[in-house]
Amino acid sequence: MSAAVSVLFVQILRLKPVTDQGSRHIRIRSLKIELNSRVGHWQSIDFKHVLQNWFKQPHTNWGIDINAFDESGNDLAVTSLRPGEEGLQPFLEVKVLETTKRSRRNLGLDCDEHSTESRCCRYPLTVDFEAFGWDWIIAPKRYKANYCSGQCEYMFMQKYPHTHLVQHANPRGSAGPCCTPTKMSPINMLYFNDKQQIIHGKIPGMVVDRCGCS
């Protein structure tokens, strides 16, 4: 027997302040989706242009409204209320890419795999969770972690007096400065817990933003 196929319509609306000039909703997209009624289904929707406008004009961010209807126009629940399916709520994933324009205050060297730089430098490194087989992580599937590598010359001793003194006083050997992250930032992650529920969390110290000698 063939599986039953259902047709549903999804409407995505952007909210705006309530005024006397008309509706509070601005339609973003309308989708017609065919799916197997016996199997769960994720639907990805691109909100890139909406987010770009929100970044330019944050005061216009009043949220979005997602509605689902069947072929007869009856409202459908976007989330499931059945026990064990609490993790099926919609979520919004935002990816922000670093531009090539850098701040003058952002000290520290940036290198790539072709660089001949021997000094302490930040190198690009992409961590791929799918390559690890970590299928319990929903998003991001991969991210730019970066890492530090390189030599710290003797002149850096003047910047770190304690290290300079330990270098001379330590009888057990060298204690010179090493190339290490001096600034790190977190990433937001969505993942399944042991109950198969979707958890959102901010994981600290996941991205190396700057490297230095210390």
Side-chain angles (χ1 to χ4, degrees):
M1 295 178 61
S2 59
V5 176
S6 299
V7 177
L8 61 87
F9 301 88
V10 176
Q11 189 177 61
I12 301 95
L13 306 170
R14 182 165 62 89
L15 301 180
K16 65 179 182 179
V18 178
T19 65
D20 298 331
Q21 305 300 321
S23 173
R24 190 190 176 203
H25 301 85
I26 300 176
R27 186 169 63 181
I28 299 175
R29 290 193 64 185
S30 294
L31 302 174
K32 178 181 179 182
I33 303 172
E34 296 183 357
L35 52 84
N36 187 332
S37 60
R38 299 178 182 175
V39 180
H41 182 76
W42 286 100
Q43 178 67 40
S44 298
I45 303 170
D46 187 0
F47 288 97
K48 180 179 179 180
H49 64 289
V50 177
L51 293 176
Q52 287 176 334
N53 290 334
W54 284 350
F55 283 132
K56 294 177 182 178
Q57 299 176 316
H59 64 278
T60 64
N61 181 1
W62 287 75
I64 57 175
D65 189 9
I66 302 176
N67 299 309
F69 310 93
D70 62 17
E71 293 181 281
S72 300
N74 299 314
D75 287 340
L76 299 175
V78 178
T79 58
S80 175
L81 300 179
R82 290 182 294 181
E85 295 186 355
E86 294 85 355
L88 296 180
Q89 67 269 23
F91 65 88
L92 179 63
E93 176 185 2
V94 180
K95 295 181 179 180
V96 180
L97 301 179
E98 181 181 4
T99 62
T100 56
K101 185 178 180 180
R102 304 188 61 82
S103 170
R104 293 182 178 179
R105 294 179 297 176
N106 187 12
L107 303 178
L109 297 175
D110 283 338
C111 302
D112 57 32
E113 61 274 15
H114 304 295
S115 176
T116 58
E117 180 63 61
S118 61
R119 293 174 295 175
C120 179
C121 197
R122 185 183 72 159
Y123 289 85
L125 174 67
T126 299
V127 173
D128 190 335
F129 294 121
E130 290 183 322
F132 296 162
W134 292 7
D135 55 359
W136 50 274
I137 295 180
I138 301 172
K141 292 299 185 184
R142 61 188 59 84
Y143 82 101
K144 293 183 179 180
N146 306 322
Y147 70 98
C148 301
S149 181
Q151 299 178 1
C152 292
E153 303 296 337
Y154 186 80
M155 64 180 182
F156 283 102
M157 297 293 185
Q158 305 303 321
K159 185 177 180 181
Y160 303 98
H162 176 268
T163 304
H164 180 68
L165 294 174
V166 172
Q167 173 74 17
H168 289 278
N170 184 16
R172 298 184 179 181
S174 174
C178 59
C179 184
T180 185
T182 57
K183 181 181 179 183
M184 301 190 73
S185 59
I187 64 171
N188 290 307
M189 292 185 64
L190 285 171
Y191 57 92
F192 289 105
N193 63 9
D194 55 357
K195 297 180 180 179
Q196 292 301 304
Q197 296 173 327
I198 294 179
I199 304 299
H200 172 266
K202 178 175 285 188
I203 313 300
M206 294 289 283
V207 179
V208 174
D209 296 321
R210 188 184 307 162
C211 297
C213 294
S214 61

